[in-house]
Amino acid sequence: MTDPNCLFCKIAAKQIPSAIVHEDEEMVAFRDIAPQVPVHIVLVPRVHCAGLNDLTADLAPVIGRIALVARDLAGRMGIAASGYRLVANCGPDAGQTVHHLHFHLLGGAPMGGRMA
Ligand code: 5GP
Ligand code: ZN
């Protein structure tokens, strides 16, 4: 369920402090320690899963609810109309550095580029 050596498991369990903006039984959302844009929030399931490559069907409901919470947070943070991205990096080419499945909610400034 959780990995005692995993940074985001420890943040979800509040063993490591973070600026939490939402939490419930299934997920935690907290401000990224090195924000790339004015609003940069990381959303994670409480259950440990290394990343999208390890996603299993039983996690599908929580991933859907993470998307709903991301939408609500975008509203709370005032970026619903200006726009935002919800991004999951998977593997080295995508630059994944923490191996606990997570989604970045990014917004508050034009992001330019066309990565997708
Ligand atoms: P990744 O690069 O794996 O997609 O995203 C990992 C994210 O976690 C990075 O944006 C990084 O800044 C953030 N991060 C790494 N360590 C910590 C930490 O201790 N606390 C918080 N709040 N964010 C962290
Ligand atoms: Zn973990």
Side-chain angles (χ1 to χ4, degrees):
M1 277 299 260
T2 61
D3 177 342
N5 298 313
C6 170
L7 175 64
F8 285 173
C9 283
K10 289 181 189 171
I11 286 179
K14 297 185 180 167
Q15 291 162 4
I16 291 177
S18 69
I20 291 175
V21 294
H22 171 90
E23 65 176 321
D24 58 43
E25 313 87 65
E26 295 182 311
M27 77 188 81
V28 179
F30 51 90
R31 293 193 187 272
D32 196 287
I33 203 167
Q36 297 176 37
V37 280
V39 176
H40 187 168
I41 291 164
V42 179
L43 301 99
V44 306
R46 285 190 186 275
V47 64
H48 181 80
C49 166
L52 283 174
N53 279 339
D54 292 311
L55 190 59
T56 49
D58 57 305
L59 276 176
V62 67
I63 301 308
R65 284 190 277 275
I66 282 175
L68 290 169
V69 168
R71 176 204 61 189
D72 292 345
L73 285 171
R76 260 178 60 195
M77 303 290 165
I79 58 170
S82 52
Y84 55 91
R85 288 180 181 157
L86 188 62
V87 174
N89 294 323
C90 180
D93 279 0
Q96 184 179 6
T97 59
V98 178
H99 296 281
H100 176 125
L101 177 64
H102 57 279
F103 295 83
H104 299 261
L105 174 63
L106 300 157
M111 284 171 273
R114 291 297 315 169
M115 281 301 291

